[in-house]
Amino acid sequence: MIRSALAIAAVLAATAAHGEVVSDGRYAMGTILEITLDAPDAARGRALLDSLYAEVARLERAMTLFDETSDLARLNRSAGGGPQPVDPDLARLLARSVELSRRTAGAFDVTVGPLVALWKDAAARGRVPDAATLAATRARVGADAIRVPAPDRAEITRPGASVDLGGVAKGYALDRIAAQARSAGVTSALLSFGQSSLWAIGAPADADGWRLLVRRPDGGFAGVATLRDRPVSVSGSLGQFTEIEGRRYGHVLDPRSGEPLVRPLEAIVLCADATTAEAASKALLVLGEREGVALLGTLGCDGLLVDGQGGRHPTPGWAAATRFETEEPSK
């Protein structure tokens, strides 16, 4: 279940200082969503867990591409056909995605749907797309094709364009349920989508924060980060990959070139919200240690890029934001 560069190194004690610890893990948005929180009592904690999981399920129904009846799937089919009614949360995330694409100079772009389909087909055929096909597909990509004219309406203006929210929807969902948990009085919780997108609220009962183990792309140890009241997104360039004509191609695409990343990298990014962190971690992978690390500062984020040789490329504020320790953790 754990795929990312982060693994929990400390969890809540069995009983928190001011209540009861409850936790669960359920399948959502293509992975396991694990929630651990400190509640006034077990019954109210379980009820809150059910409410949080229900909210994620509601968002998934609007944003998934695995259900042809979802609002997003319907919106993609209507590309070029004018504004369509959509769930307000989908409209908000689309508008936010356009903004994040602009702020990352296109290194993050949810309109990569045609490229995703192209490279899936390439993997199935075992042949890299030719230059003409790649260029034609790339011409259908660009966040300028998304319009959100009303809080419950959206439009894809370019025929043949399509949106894939797989790189940002989990972060948006975490922002929603983190706010919901806080509104219910929760001051200590860890919300984790497959350990690649997390919201750390407060701290465990007997610690200053949530200690998370940072790994290198090769699976080795890079350090330990301590998080408190921050979301974090972890993205690996080759976390999922396909091999075509003897070369590994990652699942993260550079929207500008239309090609998958091939260099082994792990990006760990902290921002004020999980939606931005998700977009920024992908942009960091695409832009690399110079442009990418500089970009994080413009987004108000901190982060660390770990390369295939174990080299660490942090933002200036990374160590302070995470109290990062490079020593091997005690057994």
Side-chain angles (χ1 to χ4, degrees), residues 118-260:
L118 175 69
W119 284 96
K120 282 185 178 178
D121 181 65
R125 292 185 298 107
R127 292 199 305 275
V128 173
D130 60 69
T133 301
L134 182 60
T137 305
R138 174 64 190 83
R140 293 154 55 196
V141 174
D144 59 331
I146 299 175
R147 288 186 63 250
V148 184
D152 59 353
R153 296 182 73 80
E155 176 184 9
I156 300 175
T157 61
R158 186 177 299 123
S162 64
V163 169
D164 186 328
L165 294 174
V168 73
K170 296 179 184 67
Y172 183 85
L174 284 184
D175 285 334
R176 289 300 303 265
I177 64 173
Q180 186 175 336
R182 282 175 159 154
S183 295
V186 171
T187 59
S188 177
L190 185 66
L191 320 173
S192 172
F193 261 118
Q195 310 240 351
S196 63
S197 187
L198 306 93
W199 237 114
I201 299 174
D206 301 322
D208 293 333
W210 299 91
R211 287 173 55 81
L212 302 169
L213 184 64
V214 180
R215 297 192 181 279
R216 303 192 306 257
D218 63 2
F221 171 76
V224 175
T226 300
L227 304 177
R228 184 178 185 127
D229 292 319
R230 297 291 295 272
V232 60
S233 174
V234 183
S235 295
S237 60
L238 298 180
Q240 302 172 36
F241 66 87
T242 56
E243 189 168 314
I244 307 174
E245 298 178 2
R247 190 179 190 187
R248 287 184 176 184
Y249 292 87
H251 71 293
V252 177
L253 298 166
D254 183 342
R256 305 164 307 167
S257 68
E259 298 185 357

Side-chain angles (χ1 to χ4, degrees), residues 54 80 93 103 116 122 124 126 130 148 169 183 199 214 222 258 261 296 302-304 312:
L93 182 52
R103 295 185 68 187
V116 172
D130 60 69
V148 184
S183 295
W199 237 114
V214 180
L261 302 187
L296 294 186
D302 280 300
L304 173 71
R312 296 188 292 269

Side-chain angles (χ1 to χ4, degrees), residues 3-321:
R3 178 214 59 80
S4 77
L6 293 184
I8 296 176
V11 296
L12 278 168
T15 302
H18 303 292
E20 186 82 15
V21 173
V22 295
S23 63
D24 201 353
R26 304 181 192 177
Y27 191 78
M29 293 189 167
T31 187
I32 300 296
L33 171 59
E34 296 177 280
I35 302 176
T36 299
L37 56 85
D38 178 7
D41 57 65
R44 278 184 283 182
R46 288 290 170 188
L48 179 56
L49 284 178
D50 288 342
S51 177
L52 299 180
Y53 282 113
E55 173 65 2
V56 172
R58 184 189 69 79
L59 294 171
E60 183 175 13
R61 284 194 294 273
M63 300 177 182
T64 184
L65 290 178
F66 294 100
D67 179 354
E68 63 181 15
T69 67
S70 75
D71 281 13
L72 181 58
R74 182 171 48 77
L75 182 66
N76 281 341
R77 289 195 299 272
S78 70
Q84 305 294 316
V86 296
D87 184 286
D89 280 294
L90 175 57
R92 278 192 287 271
L93 182 52
L94 288 171
R96 185 74 181 283
S97 296
V98 172
E99 175 195 357
L100 289 167
S101 181
R102 176 183 58 80
R103 295 185 68 187
T104 61
F108 167 79
D109 192 328
V110 296
T111 65
V112 293
L115 290 171
V116 172
L118 175 69
W119 284 96
K120 282 185 178 178
D121 181 65
R125 292 185 298 107
R127 292 199 305 275
V128 173
D130 60 69
T133 301
L134 182 60
T137 305
R138 174 64 190 83
R140 293 154 55 196
V141 174
D144 59 331
I146 299 175
R147 288 186 63 250
V148 184
D152 59 353
R153 296 182 73 80
E155 176 184 9
I156 300 175
T157 61
R158 186 177 299 123
S162 64
V163 169
D164 186 328
L165 294 174
V168 73
K170 296 179 184 67
Y172 183 85
L174 284 184
D175 285 334
R176 289 300 303 265
I177 64 173
Q180 186 175 336
R182 282 175 159 154
S183 295
V186 171
T187 59
S188 177
L190 185 66
L191 320 173
S192 172
F193 261 118
Q195 310 240 351
S196 63
S197 187
L198 306 93
W199 237 114
I201 299 174
D206 301 322
D208 293 333
W210 299 91
R211 287 173 55 81
L212 302 169
L213 184 64
V214 180
R215 297 192 181 279
R216 303 192 306 257
D218 63 2
F221 171 76
V224 175
T226 300
L227 304 177
R228 184 178 185 127
D229 292 319
R230 297 291 295 272
V232 60
S233 174
V234 183
S235 295
S237 60
L238 298 180
Q240 302 172 36
F241 66 87
T242 56
E243 189 168 314
I244 307 174
E245 298 178 2
R247 190 179 190 187
R248 287 184 176 184
Y249 292 87
H251 71 293
V252 177
L253 298 166
D254 183 342
R256 305 164 307 167
S257 68
E259 298 185 357
L261 302 187
V262 296
R263 181 185 175 202
L265 296 167
E266 289 284 344
I268 304 97
V269 175
L270 293 79
C271 300
D273 63 271
T275 306
T276 301
E278 286 267 84
S281 67
K282 279 66 175 186
L284 179 56
L285 289 176
V286 168
L287 295 174
E289 52 267 43
R290 292 187 180 178
E291 286 185 79
V293 170
L295 170 73
L296 294 186
T298 71
L299 297 174
C301 303
D302 280 300
L304 173 71
L305 187 69
V306 185
D307 63 37
Q309 290 71 48
R312 296 188 292 269
H313 310 278
T315 58
W318 165 259

